[in-house]
Amino acid sequence: KKEGGGGSDYHALGAMEVICSSMAKTLQTALHPPDWLRGNYLAVRYEDLVVEPIKTLRQVYSFVNLTVSPEMEKFALNMTSGPGYSSKPFVVSARNATQALSAWRTALSFPQIKQVEEYCQQPMALLGYERAGSPEEVKDLSRTLLRKPRL
């Protein structure tokens, strides 16, 4: 069911509001953790794993006091820089993750992107996602919209 014009799915917007609100609460807890949580969590963004898979994998393994095997490093590289690409969510296969990383920039319209930014502005800011300034900026894949997270 469409409501309010603009081509947005009313139910998808409602779900996005709930998800982003929940994420904002979780991130606020991470920013101001209770004693029992302090030092007991690690925030990892998908983008970090895609851009620097070995470094990020080593950070995760180190956090849980493990050492990454060469086989696991090879697997991570294959899964993030393989030849494939799938538009289906949750498909686990070797793929060009850098391409998947920016797929939203070509798949969504600028008004859709602005709606996501409106509903998710707090978690996006904390996680280091820069807001898109214009349709041209979104489509310019040579420009990153990712900054250092505040966590």
Side-chain angles (χ1 to χ4, degrees):
K1 177 179 173 184
K2 307 280 184 184
E3 291 192 12
S8 296
D9 184 316
Y10 176 75
H11 297 291
L13 290 176
M16 184 171 39
E17 183 175 17
V18 169
I19 291 166
C20 291
S21 175
S22 176
M23 187 180 298
K25 288 176 187 172
T26 299
L27 293 170
Q28 282 301 319
T29 301
L31 277 174
H32 308 288
D35 290 341
W36 62 267
L37 183 58
R38 194 168 287 118
N40 290 319
Y41 73 93
L42 176 68
V44 178
R45 298 178 302 185
Y46 173 74
E47 292 84 355
D48 297 328
L49 185 60
V50 167
V51 173
E52 298 182 293
I54 300 301
K55 178 184 175 185
T56 306
L57 186 64
R58 287 178 180 168
Q59 287 173 335
V60 170
Y61 268 64
S62 176
F63 183 76
V64 294
N65 296 316
L66 295 173
T67 303
V68 182
S69 69
E71 293 83 7
M72 183 55 76
E73 288 181 352
K74 183 178 177 181
F75 175 78
L77 282 174
N78 179 52
M79 293 303 286
T80 57
S81 60
Y85 175 74
S86 174
S87 60
K88 296 178 183 176
F90 311 112
V91 172
V92 178
S93 65
R95 65 176 73 194
N96 181 339
T98 304
Q99 185 180 14
L101 185 70
S102 56
W104 66 271
R105 294 174 77 169
T106 56
L108 297 178
S109 69
F110 191 66
Q112 288 172 320
I113 291 169
K114 296 313 276 180
Q115 283 180 326
V116 171
E117 291 177 343
E118 178 184 331
Y119 282 99
C120 302
Q121 60 186 326
Q122 185 181 16
M124 285 179 64
L126 292 172
L127 291 169
Y129 298 106
E130 187 177 309
R131 294 177 72 131
S134 68
E136 295 76 25
E137 183 179 47
V138 170
K139 302 303 179 200
D140 180 2
L141 301 183
S142 68
R143 185 181 188 287
T144 183
L145 295 174
L146 192 62
R147 301 293 176 252
K148 185 177 179 182
R150 294 183 3 209
L151 294 176

